[in-house]
Amino acid sequence: MVAGARAEETAATPEAAELALPVAGALAPSDAELFAVQRVMVSETGSDAIEPIVVTNGMADPAREWHTVARLRTKATYDSNIFISSDKEVADVYVSAIPELMVGWGDFRREFVSMMGLPSRFRKAPDGSDLRNFLFATYAPEAVYFGENPGENTIDQDLALQGAYRTGRWTFNLLSRFQTLSDPDIEIGSRADRTVLTLDLDAAYWISDKTSLAGRFSARREDYQEGIDTTNLLAQLYADYRVGARTTMGLGFGFGYLATDAGSDRTYEQLLARANYAWSDKLSFALTTGVEFRQAVEGEDSTVDPLLKLSSGWKLSGETRLLFSASRRLDSSSVDAAETIEYTTVEVRLRQELWQRIYLNLDGGYTEANYARQSSTRANAREDSFFFIGLSVAAELSPHLSAEASYRYQNNDSTRESNSFVRSLAEFQLGYQF
């Protein structure tokens, strides 16, 4: 389903990072996620991961103790087109207040992200940090107040639970998230109120030093105030084999079930292959590809569609990192139950540490969305071409206070003229960690 959401970060080793979750509400919305609520991933995992130090009562990261972290963010945003309208643009300035509370047990430093994403107070994880057991919850309501359009005032909710348990040859991961959202939605063509509930369960077992089995169960429920509600269930199983010290390859399959409140339920299957390759300690690649078979329902035809997920992380220097991702995936429509949306996305992100406490981020991307009916003609009912580019500068003003200024430009060119829009966002935010 299409929805605006929190940020999804491209990771250098995405297969290992899919369950990593930024602290709820801690990152700015990703432009690609104006199209769809995706699994939320934290950036910079793998050998160059930035590891925050969790401090509780003056003690640094005790791995087997409870930790509580509280912080407050405030931000002011100028939005040139708050309803992403094609012809009647409405500009406004809105202010947000986001109190955040994290409570957890164990060593969850990798999952902990600073309020502004600033890493200078953090350090790399010690050897063996991948063998971590933890459980934590985050709660981050966001109150938004509009200067000229008070009817859009809202309080969004963001609650997440994440855990990991590793014992012997077994590894288990859990991620569950509940969100209420009210931001712009490209498919709907305006601001849309919706509720999103996700659950991801992962399990892996090492048969030998080179061979492993990995399974995942994913569930997603999306309820729109004005749109089609969906429930999507997907189970996947992989068999992986380590080839040498730097390469892992695997084959897998998946079975899914999609239920909508305005159409017939359908099933689908996936045949998948994946590979991870570490060129060096500074450069790594991850690829997942395959095909998806969607069964026919009354009045429709079965279809076969390619799937792709490619990502790369490159640490150019100790202060510079470049992330790249490309993907092709399918989603269901929140407007027309007979439509399947084919998304093709490319994104690039560069992060540069200018001085020890100042950071520059530059990102951009392109998404092509084809709204195709599941029929023999596969005629596209609508095609969107979405482009964005953003620039931000963040700084640590003190050990507890940070600030960030950012600008983002968005442009959606749609064959359905009412869904085309141009939008500029300028934002300034302050964060204080208690």
Side-chain angles (χ1 to χ4, degrees), residues 51-52 61 107 109-110 123-132:
E51 300 299 334
D61 58 84
D107 183 4
R109 288 168 296 167
R110 178 166 296 172
R123 62 172 173 81
K124 294 181 182 298
D127 293 340
S129 63
D130 286 338
L131 304 176
R132 299 171 298 143

Side-chain angles (χ1 to χ4, degrees), residues 7 99-100 104 153 161 237 293 318 332 340 343 419:
E100 299 175 303
N153 292 351
L161 176 68
L237 179 65
F293 305 88
S332 56
T340 297
Y343 290 109
N419 290 96

Side-chain angles (χ1 to χ4, degrees), residues 212-348:
S212 63
L213 295 176
R216 158 169 284 200
F217 174 76
S218 299
R220 183 185 309 280
R221 173 67 182 180
E222 297 175 304
D223 292 325
Y224 277 75
Q225 184 172 347
E226 297 181 5
I228 298 174
D229 301 336
T230 63
T231 300
N232 196 358
L233 307 176
L234 176 62
Q236 295 175 319
L237 179 65
Y238 278 95
D240 294 308
Y241 183 76
R242 180 178 294 169
V243 183
R246 295 183 176 273
T247 306
T248 301
M249 304 181 69
L251 296 175
F253 67 89
F255 177 80
Y257 174 78
L258 175 65
T260 68
D261 292 349
S264 301
D265 300 348
R266 71 178 78 242
T267 58
Y268 59 94
E269 298 81 40
Q270 298 174 340
L271 292 178
L272 303 165
R274 66 182 182 182
N276 292 303
Y277 176 64
W279 179 278
S280 67
D281 293 339
K282 295 184 178 181
L283 178 62
S284 60
F285 302 90
L287 170 67
T288 299
T289 187
V291 292
E292 182 171 295
F293 305 88
R294 293 212 168 195
Q295 270 62 57
V297 296
E298 185 177 354
E300 301 178 0
D301 295 329
S302 299
T303 61
V304 180
D305 295 280
L307 302 174
L308 174 69
K309 182 180 179 181
L310 171 66
S311 65
S312 176
W314 186 13
K315 185 178 179 181
L316 285 76
S317 68
E319 296 77 27
T320 306
R321 292 174 175 83
L322 180 65
L323 302 173
F324 169 83
S325 68
S327 65
R328 187 187 190 279
R329 62 182 181 84
L330 302 180
D331 209 342
S332 56
S333 173
S334 60
V335 177
D336 188 339
E339 288 182 349
T340 297
I341 311 173
E342 303 167 352
Y343 290 109
T344 303
T345 300
V346 177
E347 290 191 65
V348 178

